[in-house]
Amino acid sequence: MNYRQYLISALLSLSLIVAHAAPEAPKPEAKPVATQPTPATAAAAAQPAPSPPTVTARAYILLDFFSGETLAQLNADQRVEPASLTKLMTGYAVFKALAADKVKLTDPVPITEKAWRSEGSRSFVKVNTQVPLEDLLKGMIIQSGNDASVALAEHVAGSEEGFVTLMNGYAKELGMDHSHFTNSTGLPDPDLYVTARDVATLGRAIIRDFPDYYKYYAIKEFSYNGITQYNRNRLLWRDQNVDGIKTGHTETAGYCLAASALRDGMRLITVVLGTASESIRAKESLEMLNYGFRTFETHRLYDTKTALSTVRVWKGATETLPLGVSKDLYISVPRGQYKNLKATMEIDPAITAPTNKGQRHGLVRVKLGDREILTHPLVALQNVEQGSWWRRLVDTVLLWFK
């Protein structure tokens, strides 16, 4: 027997010893959020939610803020005019500049003649004066001032045209694939358009990323230059749970409203575009919110700190790897159906080191009855470096028999 044959024989013998002595690798087990439904409950789980109320808008959407799920919609991906809902993106771009310390709330912002001459709704700022940036933000959000919008755009980007480039860049980052902006105000333009889904996406981003600035959207009135104006969002007076977001109106766009409310830990966003009157947009938006809260419930299934499974990792400095989700995972279900959820996991075979935290190694699937309603990646919750040369050698041999 030559040296090579002797080495192979020794490794095979060693592998048998190690395989016999080593504990069995933990088998991945799905961690269900509920027990397996019985046939009766599975049938109940398949029952659809009640139909949403009739809405006369050109387009609308009802979105669960935490899960991101669409609960109801009509023409949600159809291009429509946004009117002053455009100012949601204007606000988002200003918030980004504030977060990056490019501007400050206390900045004195010059009011140019272009800003002063802006058509439509106004905050009544005076030309060739300087106004604190925070006052302009409130003027844009609460009073829907076009003059304030243009002044903010010019201050952040040097010109409104440059600011529009920022707006479209942020829209792309957020996945607003069917929207395009041409100004900071929402004044009519053939190339200015959004969709209900994109506006909901934007509203969700503002609430999630800038909670301190989102508070401005709940303010009911604002006075500047001796003139007091009231927030046009009537829902702020009709429902104490409503805390935003923004109205819009032009003759061609109709009456629009993006609204959000938080009740008992559940937040919904609704966007209603192109209704016939101010009263109708408020009525139908509130009906949609009430429908959503009555019909659905939101639950956090898993958080980022919890291992859903601990699996064998080969050739690593450690032998086990915890798997979980990369972000807190929420789900929306019809009320009373949470107990009927069933979760299963699919985990990659033979996971080999090195692996990095956040690297995908499987999938979690959630069903309601026989219907799959959610899939999400399973990722490594920690780094596992390569093991020693001996560990790698032994695991290589063990994998031959796996």
Side-chain angles (χ1 to χ4, degrees), residues 47-124:
Q47 293 180 358
S51 298
T54 300
V55 174
T56 60
R58 296 171 190 167
Y60 75 83
I61 191 169
L62 176 65
L63 186 79
D64 186 303
F65 168 78
F66 289 106
S67 70
E69 292 184 40
T70 299
L71 306 181
Q73 63 91 21
L74 173 70
N75 301 327
D77 297 308
Q78 177 179 302
R79 291 181 178 180
V80 294
E81 293 183 55
S84 282
L85 295 188
T86 298
K87 295 185 179 79
L88 290 175
M89 180 55 80
T90 303
Y92 183 84
V94 175
F95 301 153
K96 293 283 279 190
L98 285 164
D101 288 328
K102 294 181 179 178
V103 298
K104 298 184 182 301
L105 290 175
T106 55
D107 282 357
V109 179
I111 305 302
T112 65
E113 185 169 350
K114 177 182 178 180
W116 176 67
R117 290 187 179 276
S118 296
E119 301 175 2
S121 52
R122 303 174 59 80
S123 297
F124 298 101

Side-chain angles (χ1 to χ4, degrees), residues 182 188-193:
T182 59
D189 186 289
D191 293 323
L192 171 63
Y193 51 83

Side-chain angles (χ1 to χ4, degrees), residues 143-293:
Q143 301 170 334
S144 200
N146 290 340
D147 46 2
S149 301
V150 174
L152 288 167
E154 292 175 334
H155 183 65
V156 169
S159 68
E160 187 177 21
E161 292 75 19
F163 188 80
V164 166
T165 301
L166 291 178
M167 295 171 72
N168 286 313
Y170 291 136
K172 185 175 181 180
E173 288 181 9
L174 292 172
M176 298 171 61
D177 297 329
H178 304 288
S179 297
H180 184 258
F181 299 97
T182 59
N183 58 55
S184 63
T185 60
L187 289 172
D189 186 289
D191 293 323
L192 171 63
Y193 51 83
V194 297
T195 67
R197 192 182 310 280
D198 284 354
V199 172
T201 296
L202 176 56
R204 189 181 183 213
I206 291 173
I207 298 168
R208 179 191 65 226
D209 299 340
F210 304 108
D212 290 339
Y213 301 131
Y214 177 65
K215 296 175 183 176
Y216 291 141
Y217 293 91
I219 298 175
K220 295 180 179 179
E221 64 180 70
F222 180 62
S223 298
Y224 186 79
N225 200 18
I227 300 173
T228 298
Q229 295 189 73
Y230 296 91
N231 197 313
R232 293 172 171 82
N233 184 359
R234 293 187 181 184
L235 299 191
L236 294 175
W237 283 268
R238 295 186 183 181
D239 188 323
Q240 63 180 359
N241 300 300
V242 173
D243 53 14
I245 310 177
K246 185 75 183 72
T247 63
H249 170 255
T250 64
E251 288 188 12
T252 50
Y255 290 84
C256 309
L257 175 59
S260 183
L262 179 66
R263 296 183 192 172
D264 299 324
M266 181 180 183
R267 178 177 288 280
L268 298 179
I269 297 173
T270 186
V271 179
V272 174
L273 302 174
T275 65
S277 70
E278 185 176 351
S279 60
I280 290 175
R281 75 180 175 192
K283 172 179 174 292
E284 295 188 345
S285 295
L286 188 56
E287 286 177 351
M288 290 302 303
L289 289 171
N290 287 333
Y291 163 78
F293 287 120

